[in-house]
Amino acid sequence: MSTAGKDKVKFYKTPDAILQKHSRSTTVVAKKSAEDPLFKEILDSQVKFAERVTKWEQDTVVNRRMAFNHYFGPKAKKS
């Protein structure tokens, strides 16, 4: 899906398959880099922080897809 405005700039959602491959590649690089004790300490700290923050985010941030579908989706009532 892409969108283009008056300046003909297009935006594309990165496919999930590419994002998943990126995550796997990052994990491999981080594992190898963690042989350095300082890198490992920093990485472990960042992972703990990311886990805590994303759990909070998933519990508190409301997904807007339902509202979007209600107002603009294929079954939305047109005014």
Side-chain angles (χ1 to χ4, degrees):
M1 170 194 236
S2 73
T3 58
K6 67 178 183 162
D7 295 326
K8 308 290 188 249
V9 175
K10 294 183 178 182
F11 295 88
Y12 297 92
K13 179 193 178 299
T14 304
D16 288 346
I18 291 175
L19 295 171
Q20 290 166 346
K21 189 169 187 174
H22 177 267
S23 292
R24 288 192 298 270
S25 299
T26 301
T27 300
V28 169
V29 170
K31 217 176 232 186
K32 184 168 177 67
S33 299
E35 294 170 3
D36 176 326
L38 178 59
F39 184 92
K40 182 175 180 354
E41 180 182 346
I42 294 167
L43 181 63
D44 289 346
S45 173
Q46 290 177 334
V47 168
K48 283 180 186 176
F49 175 78
E51 181 179 19
R52 189 174 77 243
V53 170
T54 54
K55 281 181 181 179
W56 174 85
E57 179 186 41
Q58 290 174 12
D59 288 342
T60 59
V61 176
V62 177
N63 186 316
R64 293 179 285 230
R65 186 173 306 278
M66 183 173 50
F68 177 87
N69 288 337
H70 175 78
Y71 291 104
F72 309 111
K75 295 181 182 180
K77 290 183 182 175
K78 306 298 180 204
S79 34

